[in-house]
Structure formats: structure tokens, C-alpha cells
Amino acid sequence: MASASGTPYSMEGGHGSSSIHVDDGDHEASGAFFTTDTTRLDELKTQLDGSKDNQKLEAMKRIIGMIAKGRHVASLFPAVVKNVVSKNLEIKKLVYVYLVRYAEEEQDLALLSISTFQKALKDPNQLIRASALRVLSSIRVPVIVPIMMLSLKECVTDMSAFVRKTAAHAIPKLYSLDPEQKDNLIEIIERLLKDKTTLVAGSAVVAFEEVCPERIDLVHKNYRKLCNLLVDVEDWGQVAIINMLTRYARSQFANPNAEGQEMGEEKFYSSENDENSDSDSKDEDQAAGKETEKKKKKPYVMDSDHRLLLQSTKPLLQSRNTAVVMSVAQLYFHTAPSGEISQVIRPLIRLLRSHREVQTVVLSNIATISASRKGMFESFLKSFYVVSSDPTHIKMLKLEILSNLASETNVSVILREFQTYVTSNDKEFVAATIQAIGRCASNIDEVSDACLVGLMSLVSHRDEAVVAESVVVIKTLLQMRPSEQKESIIQMAKLADRVQVPMAKASILWLIGEYSDRMPKIAPDVLRKMAKSFPNEEDIVKLQVLNLSAKLCLTNPKQTKLLCQYVLNMAKYDLNYDIRDRARFLRTLLVPAEKTPLSKYSKKMFLAAKPAPVLQSTFKEREQWQMGSLSHMLNTQVNGFKPLPDFPDEPPDPSVRNVEVEMPWQSPSKARSKKRSKKTGLDAFYDSESSEVSDSGSSGSESRSEESGSEESSGAETDSEATSGEGTEESDSEELSVSVDETETSDEDSSEEESEASEQERERKRVKKPPATRPSKVSGLLKLSALTSQRR
């Protein structure tokens, strides 16, 4: 119990005495914090204004504890803001936690500390830098948008991945504050998407989805990187990336399940040849078949990037996070080939052992999958049996799944299970079970008679809700095959007096009116009884009484015309305007004062054959929503829902996802030698000359170093320096010629398109047949300089 002021207390003692123990909250872990106790808040202010760090730290812990318990402590904002400049790291962290919570409410006071936050962005501690940016983004004042943008750009290039992640989280806040900054934010998002750190990837994708989800070009170059990093990203980052990649796959890859439909159409049209047709028509069909073979599309081949996505997400089916497993399941359901969707079955069954909230979401998705692919969960039928401890909404979902999985092979087992459910004390669950039996009977003809007999036995049940639901389902089943069930229709007509549930009574009256020709004596008597109780019936029953009187007036006017006029006169003064309008409409058609053009078509209007209703799962309609979304759970579009794009007829060019990455083993020297091998014969001729000169220079230096004695060591050193200088000049000239040749080869597309095999053959020829050399002026000058240096 708690007092009116929010003070927690406990009652202790026996019958005659009671003592109230109030928790004074002196302990720092105590939960007794008083929002109305001003002395307590003054004490915290005094501790925050003091000079001792231990008191400040204790006060901040208490304040954060109060925030965690939902207490409002905005009055302490001025005292807390002063401690932003504290040198104690623990105090500073708690101050930033407080400021993130109340910076939006106390904007004026928070603006006074912006300079402190900007200084904190350069703090050596990454947690302080991230907290400062978080506080800046929490101040919802348009004036500081330029400051926030500068801080954001600075933090995006931070060395710490945690700070870059915080910057990604700040992008949606800044975008909601000033949407005009979208172009600048897109540049920052593009930089963050290129980040190779797993800590940043998920947050960058969240910012991308919030600011510019239509900029699919930003994903192209990072698609493969995101797929490869997906396993190492945090759980909620994995969910964001998988949802984004699901939309990307739907817009960039071909439909993997469209090929079977095309092949099915081709087989259908190719089977139209008639055995009794003439020889001329056969020739024409053969010619048409050849033309269709020419126009036949190539068989579907999955894109390598599409396969990479499915392979990268498959290990996440073993994740301990339910949201990750559900995200992968919806990815496979919307983008994978039909033969590979079965990989998500066991992980989904494993999630059924979780909490009830998780079971609700998982069962809703399984019901959607089973509505279109019945055979997938057939081997796990027992996993969907109802347990007595299950809440009602989970029982309903399991009934939907069991009725979806019903087939000719397992329907007897499922109906035996349903027979047990009918005896439950939960009326809502029993009504849903009867509906499930009706769906099984309508989908499987072999058990329709047995289901109808079982439902007819429920008509005599003592519970009105069970009887009413049985009547509604029986009416639907009888409408499918009325000619074979005359006795059942008559038995239903006899229940018109006993059934009191409006929906069930309306169903019986509809049956009597629709098949009145099979019961010419019973139908008028039922109308007579309903005319007596017409004013006391529900609106839905009154409408069906009007329809019954109209149909009997057309088929048996001698006995029912006066009854029909009596019912129309009572409906004329009814309180419900729908009933009054219906009576006026029927009077004009059936008992007109003057003949109208519509009166002659009255029989066609009322006695026309009605199509039998189709009983199908309500989850069949939910395929239009993305699995796992709130719209899918509620079966209606909610704010913020983005429908999945359709698969393109012709997928875009996959080369947009290619990224040129320089491998570590491809050094610049190898690339230079590879390009030099493409030179013309004239360039190779001069290159070989220069190489000979360098060789001769090096050999001369070696001979000079050998001939020189210990006395001429200094001269030899100077000679070696001169020769090395000449060598560097020659190498610089070589590099210059190589760079010129590189520009020439880059301009020539034909030289770049040559195969590697032809390049290797040319290199072998050059090794076997080196070009002939000729003396040049440069080599002569070099020899002359070498001789002069030797004489010196």
C-alpha cells in the first residue's frame, strides 16, 4: 500500500495493534524518494553545491535513481548543470545522463552550457565525447542547428567507434529538428555506411532508413560489406539491417518464385492440341510451338548477391534474440525461393517455448505462412495443440494454424482434437473451434458430411452461444450443397422458436427463405410466428423477417401476401431507419400502387441463385503486409508503414554493387611492371639500352672498388656516390618514361582489354629474344665520365 502523498509504508502487527513503518530512504539504494518533500530536494542541492566529490557522486546517484522510478526532478537542473565541468569522471557521466533526460524541458538553462559541451567533444574519454554529443542532440532548439551540424561532422571522423555510433543516433534527431539539412546529413550517412566497424553499421542503417530510405544508390557499394558484417553486428542492428536489405532485395533482384508460374502457363497452352484435329491444324500448332520455344525465357538463375544475402542471414536463425529470428524469417518469406523457406520452420517452432507475448507474434506469422504453404508445418502438428494453460488469444491462433494445416491425411486427427476443444468452458474458444470445424468441412469434401453431423448434434447443446455458432456454420455448409441436405434444412427450420441468439436466428430465417420451395408448409408458419414477435426482435432479425416475407410473397402469394403487408406496415414505423428504408423498398416492388419498371424483375432480384461462401483463414488477407510489422499484427495500415516494393520484371544491372578493392599483394611495383610489359617495340628498345647502361655503370663501380687499395678508399667512396647519383637519375628517367607510357596505355582501350594469356606469351618472347642494342651518345658520355673519375 501507499499513502496519498506517495510515501511507501507497510502495516505490521496483530489484530489489536498496527504499526506503520515508513522507509526514511537514508540508504542510497532505498526506493523512498519524495517529489513533494522539499527538504529532501534541498538536501540534494546542498550536496551538489558542495566541494566534496563523494557527496556530489552520492547525490547524483540518488537523482538518477529517482528518474529511474519515474520521479520528476527537473527542479534540480541548475544545480546539476554546474557539475558538468567536474573533473571526476563518474560525476560527469551521471550529469550527462541527467541532462539527456531534461535538456529538452529546460532548454534555456541547457543553452548556457553549450560551450562546455563543445569542449567536452574533445575530451580524451570516448564516453564523455559521446555523452556531450547526445546532450547536444537532445536540445530541441533550432538556433543551435549549425553548432550541432559542426559537432556531428567532427564526431563522424572520430577515432572511437562508440562516438561514431552516437553520431549516427543523433542524425535522425537533427533531421526532425531541421529537415532542410537533409543534403548535409546524407553526406554524413554515406560516410557512416562506408564504416567497416560492426558497432557503427546498425546505427548507420537506422539513420539511413529515417532520413533517406529512397536513396538506394547509397546501399549499392556497401551491400556486400553489410552482408559480410551482419553476423558480428549487435542484435538490434541486425534487425535494422535485415529489414533494410529485405526492401533492397525486393527492388534489385528478380522474383525467385515467378519461374514456376511461367512454366505452368506454357504447359497449359501446349496441351491444347486436339487429337481429332486435322493435319493442317497440327502443322500450325507445331509451328506455333517452335515460335514459343524461341520466345521462351531463360531459366531463373539466382543472382550471386541474392544468394549472398540468404547465406549471410541463415546463421542468424540460431540467434537467442527473438526479433533477429523473426527478421530472418520474414526475409526468407518475402525474398527466398519457395524450396528454401522451410529452413525457418525449426527456429520458429523453437520460439514457441518463449513468453506469451513472443508466442503471440510468432504464431501470427506462422498462421500467415501456413495459409499459403500448408505443407511446411505439417510434421510439427503437435506443437500447435492447445494447452489448458494457454490464454484465449493464443488458443485462437493455434486453431487458425490447425485449420490451415488440415489435409486429407491428417484431418481425422485434427477433428478428433477439435472434438475435445468443444467441451471447454471457454465459450469464445468453443465458438472459434466450431468455426474451425466449418473451415475444415468446406475445404475437404471427404469429411464435410461427418462435420455436418457433428455440428447438428451441437444444436441441442445447453449453451446458447454454442448453438448459435453451430447454426451459423451449418447454414454456410448447407448453402454449399443444399440439394443433398433437405432433412437438415427442415431440422434447422424447427429451431427458429428455440434459438434466442440474434445471429443464429437470422441465419435460420435466411435458410428458410432461400429454400422455401423445399418446405412449403413450414415456411408460412414460421413467418406467422415471427410476425407476432416482430416488434421485440433485434434489428438483424427484423431485416431477415422482411426478406422472408418478400420471398414467400413471390413464391406463395395465396398464403403469405397478407402476412407480408402486415410485416411491412409494422416496419414502416420502426425506430431503425435501415428497417424503414428496407420496408419502403420492398413495398414498392411487391405491393405497388402503380406498376414500376422494377416490379417485373422482383423474382430475379430475390430468388436468384447465390454463390456459396468461401471459408478461408483470416490470415490469408495479411500477406499484403510485411511479416513482423505492426500492420501485420493488426491487419490494418498504421502510421509509418512502408509497403514492400514488388519484384522488378527486369532486375537492374548487378555491376552497381561491384567495388574495386586493391589487394595487399598487388603492390605498385608489380602493377608498374605489368604495364611496362604492354609497351611498343620502340619503347622496349630504349628501355633495354638504359638497363644496359645501368648494368655497365654498376659493373664499372664494382671493378673500381676492387682495384682501389686502402690508400684510395676516400676516392672510391666518392666514385660510388657519383655512380649512385647517376643511377638515381637513370631510375627517375625510367619512372618518368613509365608514367608517360601509363598515360598512353590508359588512353588506349584496346591494350587494356587484352587477355592475360596473350600478355604472358609476349613476355616469354621478350625473354627469349631480347632486342638488339646499339651504342648511344648517353652511354659514351657515361663511360667517359667513369674514366675521368678513375684517373682522379
Side-chain angles (χ1 to χ4, degrees):
M1 296 178 64
S3 63
S5 61
T7 305
Y9 62 87
S10 61
M11 302 294 295
E12 297 177 355
H15 295 286
S17 63
S18 64
S19 61
I20 301 177
H21 172 69
V22 180
D23 192 354
D24 56 359
D26 291 334
H27 193 268
E28 66 178 51
S30 174
F33 299 107
F34 308 100
T35 56
T36 58
D37 193 354
T38 56
T39 57
R40 176 70 62 180
L41 297 179
D42 293 339
E43 183 181 346
L44 292 174
K45 288 181 182 178
T46 305
Q47 290 179 345
L48 291 172
D49 294 337
S51 58
K52 295 182 179 181
D53 287 347
N54 58 350
Q55 293 183 356
K56 292 182 180 181
L57 183 60
E58 183 181 356
M60 286 305 305
K61 287 181 179 180
R62 293 191 176 211
I63 292 172
I64 299 302
M66 296 168 73
I67 294 174
K69 291 181 178 293
R71 308 294 174 84
H72 190 72
V73 289
S75 58
L76 297 173
F77 195 90
V80 174
V81 170
K82 296 178 184 178
N83 293 281
V84 173
V85 295
S86 176
K87 295 181 180 180
N88 191 319
L89 188 60
E90 296 297 327
I91 296 176
K92 188 175 289 188
K93 289 179 184 178
L94 295 177
V95 168
Y96 278 122
V97 172
Y98 178 89
L99 293 178
V100 169
R101 171 63 180 83
Y102 288 106
E104 188 172 353
E105 297 182 12
E106 303 289 340
Q107 296 177 358
D108 296 336
L109 294 175
L111 288 174
L112 300 177
S113 305
I114 283 184
S115 59
T116 307
F117 301 148
Q118 289 179 304
K119 291 179 182 178
L121 292 174
K122 298 180 180 179
D123 194 274
N125 193 328
Q126 60 176 355
L127 297 178
I128 300 300
R129 298 198 301 271
S131 300
L133 180 61
R134 191 179 293 116
V135 173
L136 269 177
S137 61
S138 300
I139 303 174
R140 314 290 294 170
V141 180
V143 179
I144 65 168
V145 168
I147 299 176
M148 292 173 61
M149 181 60 69
L150 291 175
S151 304
L152 196 60
K153 291 181 178 178
E154 182 180 354
C155 291
V156 166
T157 59
D158 197 279
M159 295 295 293
S160 172
F162 182 72
V163 177
R164 298 198 299 273
K165 177 182 179 179
T166 307
H169 290 164
I171 290 175
K173 298 181 183 178
L174 182 55
Y175 177 69
S176 63
L177 185 62
D178 187 7
E180 295 180 359
Q181 300 290 334
K182 183 175 181 178
D183 295 336
N184 296 329
L185 293 176
I186 288 176
E187 296 178 1
I188 297 175
I189 291 173
E190 185 176 4
R191 184 183 183 92
L192 288 173
L193 287 174
K194 295 178 181 179
D195 200 308
K196 298 181 180 180
T197 310
T198 56
L199 192 63
V200 184
S203 304
V205 170
V206 171
F208 169 80
E209 288 286 299
E210 290 288 337
V211 178
C212 53
E214 72 281 355
R215 288 291 304 273
I216 203 71
D217 56 304
L218 300 179
V219 186
H220 289 321
K221 299 295 183 182
N222 303 293
Y223 172 81
R224 294 170 184 168
K225 183 199 71 176
L226 290 174
C227 290
N228 293 325
L229 293 178
L230 192 57
V231 180
D232 300 322
V233 178
E234 58 178 347
D235 293 348
W236 300 112
Q238 290 174 347
V239 174
I241 294 174
I242 291 172
N243 290 332
M244 186 270 291
L245 292 180
T246 302
R247 308 176 65 82
Y248 181 86
R250 293 275 295 200
S251 62
Q252 300 296 315
F253 303 133
N255 187 359
N257 299 317
E259 185 67 18
Q261 298 176 2
E262 293 176 0
M263 294 299 293
E265 290 178 0
E266 291 172 1
K267 291 179 180 179
F268 173 78
Y269 287 112
S270 63
S271 63
E272 286 186 351
N273 296 330
D274 188 9
E275 295 179 357
N276 300 324
S277 61
D278 299 331
S279 59
D280 295 337
S281 61
K282 288 183 179 180
D283 296 337
E284 291 176 0
D285 291 339
Q286 291 177 359
K290 292 180 180 179
E291 291 179 1
T292 54
E293 288 178 0
K294 292 179 181 179
K295 295 180 181 179
K296 184 186 291 185
K297 295 182 180 180
K298 295 180 180 179
Y300 171 75
V301 178
M302 181 176 285
D303 192 293
S304 58
D305 291 327
H306 194 176
R307 175 58 61 189
L308 174 64
L309 174 61
L310 297 178
Q311 289 179 349
S312 301
T313 54
K314 185 178 178 181
L316 299 181
L317 290 171
Q318 310 302 324
S319 175
R320 302 178 69 179
N321 192 319
T322 307
V324 176
V325 179
M326 289 304 308
S327 298
V328 179
Q330 64 88 21
L331 170 69
Y332 270 75
F333 180 75
H334 291 298
T335 64
S338 56
E340 299 184 14
I341 302 179
S342 58
Q343 297 178 4
V344 305
I345 297 176
R346 291 183 181 275
L348 290 178
I349 297 297
R350 174 174 58 87
L351 296 181
L352 295 179
R353 304 187 185 98
S354 304
H355 302 289
R356 293 178 178 179
E357 294 79 6
V358 176
Q359 290 183 33
T360 304
V361 178
V362 175
L363 288 172
S364 299
N365 292 326
I366 292 177
T368 303
I369 298 174
S370 62
S372 57
R373 297 176 174 86
K374 296 185 177 181
M376 287 181 56
F377 294 93
E378 189 172 358
S379 57
F380 298 93
L381 199 63
K382 294 183 178 180
S383 300
F384 306 108
Y385 285 172
V386 174
V387 184
S388 59
S389 60
D390 288 337
T392 304
H393 65 280
I394 290 182
K395 292 179 180 178
M396 301 295 188
L397 290 171
K398 289 186 176 181
L399 280 177
E400 286 282 345
I401 296 172
L402 288 174
S403 59
N404 290 340
L405 298 179
S407 61
E408 297 177 356
T409 57
N410 60 11
V411 68
S412 59
V413 180
I414 293 176
L415 288 178
R416 206 177 305 123
E417 190 73 15
F418 287 168
Q419 189 176 358
T420 307
Y421 299 160
V422 172
T423 60
S424 175
N425 295 325
D426 190 348
K427 296 181 180 180
E428 187 179 358
F429 174 55
V430 172
T433 303
I434 295 172
Q435 293 177 3
I437 294 173
R439 283 199 300 272
C440 293
S442 62
N443 295 330
I444 304 171
D445 296 335
E446 296 179 355
V447 296
S448 59
D449 295 336
C451 291
L452 189 59
V453 171
L455 292 173
M456 291 298 294
S457 64
L458 292 176
V459 171
S460 58
H461 199 276
R462 59 185 178 181
D463 192 352
E464 291 185 359
V466 176
V467 175
E469 200 64 40
S470 302
V471 168
V472 174
V473 175
I474 290 171
K475 170 245 181 185
T476 306
L477 296 178
L478 291 178
Q479 193 176 353
M480 294 180 178
R481 293 185 300 176
S483 59
E484 302 176 6
Q485 305 294 340
K486 181 179 178 180
E487 296 180 359
S488 300
I489 296 174
I490 295 174
Q491 187 176 355
M492 293 289 294
K494 295 178 181 179
L495 295 173
D497 295 335
R498 201 181 75 183
V499 175
Q500 299 300 326
V501 179
M503 189 64 191
K505 185 178 287 189
S507 300
I508 293 174
L509 293 176
W510 186 92
L511 272 177
I512 296 172
E514 187 68 18
Y515 306 110
S516 58
D517 54 341
R518 293 178 174 82
M519 51 186 82
K521 296 181 180 180
I522 298 176
D525 191 54
V526 172
L527 178 61
R528 179 182 59 82
K529 292 180 179 180
M530 297 307 301
K532 288 182 179 181
S533 60
F534 183 85
N536 302 323
E537 299 291 346
E538 296 290 336
D539 293 342
I540 187 173
V541 178
K542 290 179 180 179
L543 290 174
Q544 291 302 325
V545 171
L546 288 173
N547 290 337
L548 175 61
S549 63
K551 292 177 182 179
L552 290 178
C553 185
L554 293 173
T555 57
N556 191 1
K558 292 181 180 180
Q559 295 181 352
T560 58
K561 188 172 183 179
L562 294 176
L563 279 174
C564 179
Q565 292 179 359
Y566 175 74
V567 171
L568 292 176
N569 289 331
M570 284 192 297
K572 182 179 179 180
Y573 303 101
D574 197 86
L575 297 176
N576 193 329
Y577 59 85
D578 286 334
I579 298 173
R580 296 197 302 269
D581 292 344
R582 178 70 64 87
R584 190 180 301 113
F585 169 70
L586 293 177
R587 184 183 296 276
T588 306
L589 288 177
L590 302 176
V591 208
E594 298 179 0
K595 288 188 177 181
T596 59
L598 287 177
S599 60
K600 59 181 179 180
Y601 298 107
S602 57
K603 285 190 177 182
K604 291 183 179 180
M605 294 172 60
F606 288 100
L607 303 178
K610 280 79 173 177
V614 179
L615 295 178
Q616 63 179 8
S617 174
T618 56
F619 284 84
K620 187 72 175 177
E621 304 173 355
R622 302 196 184 190
E623 292 183 359
Q624 58 180 328
W625 314 113
Q626 184 177 1
M627 278 180 51
S629 62
L630 182 59
S631 297
H632 175 266
M633 284 292 299
L634 302 178
N635 197 19
T636 184
Q637 184 170 351
V638 298
N639 294 333
F641 175 76
K642 299 173 184 176
L644 285 175
D646 296 329
F647 283 105
D649 296 333
E650 295 183 3
D653 186 12
S655 62
V656 295
R657 291 182 289 274
N658 294 337
V659 181
E660 296 181 0
V661 180
E662 184 177 356
M663 299 301 177
W665 55 82
Q666 292 180 349
S667 60
S669 60
K670 290 187 178 181
R672 188 182 302 160
S673 63
K674 187 175 181 180
K675 291 182 179 180
R676 286 179 61 186
S677 64
K678 299 180 180 179
K679 294 180 180 180
T680 58
L682 186 62
D683 296 334
F685 173 78
Y686 287 112
D687 288 344
S688 61
E689 252 187 49
S690 61
S691 62
E692 283 184 0
V693 170
S694 61
D695 293 340
S696 62
S698 61
S699 60
S701 63
E702 289 176 358
S703 61
R704 287 195 300 272
S705 62
E706 290 176 358
E707 290 175 358
S708 59
S710 60
E711 297 177 356
E712 298 178 351
S713 61
S714 61
E717 289 177 358
T718 56
D719 293 343
S720 63
E721 290 176 0
T723 54
S724 65
E726 292 171 2
T728 55
E729 291 179 358
E730 291 173 5
S731 64
D732 292 338
S733 63
E734 278 185 349
E735 291 178 359
L736 182 60
S737 64
V738 169
S739 64
V740 173
D741 294 332
E742 286 177 1
T743 56
E744 292 177 358
T745 55
S746 64
D747 294 335
E748 297 177 359
D749 296 333
S750 59
S751 62
E752 292 179 354
E753 296 175 354
E754 292 179 352
S755 61
E756 295 181 0
S758 59
E759 291 176 1
Q760 292 177 1
E761 290 178 3
R762 286 198 298 271
E763 288 176 0
R764 291 196 198 98
K765 290 179 181 180
R766 287 174 185 170
V767 172
K768 292 180 180 179
K769 297 180 180 180
T773 58
R774 62 181 182 182
S776 62
K777 293 181 180 180
V778 178
S779 61
L781 291 173
L782 291 174
K783 289 181 180 179
L784 181 62
S785 62
L787 290 173
T788 53
S789 61
Q790 187 177 3
R791 288 177 182 176
R792 290 176 184 174

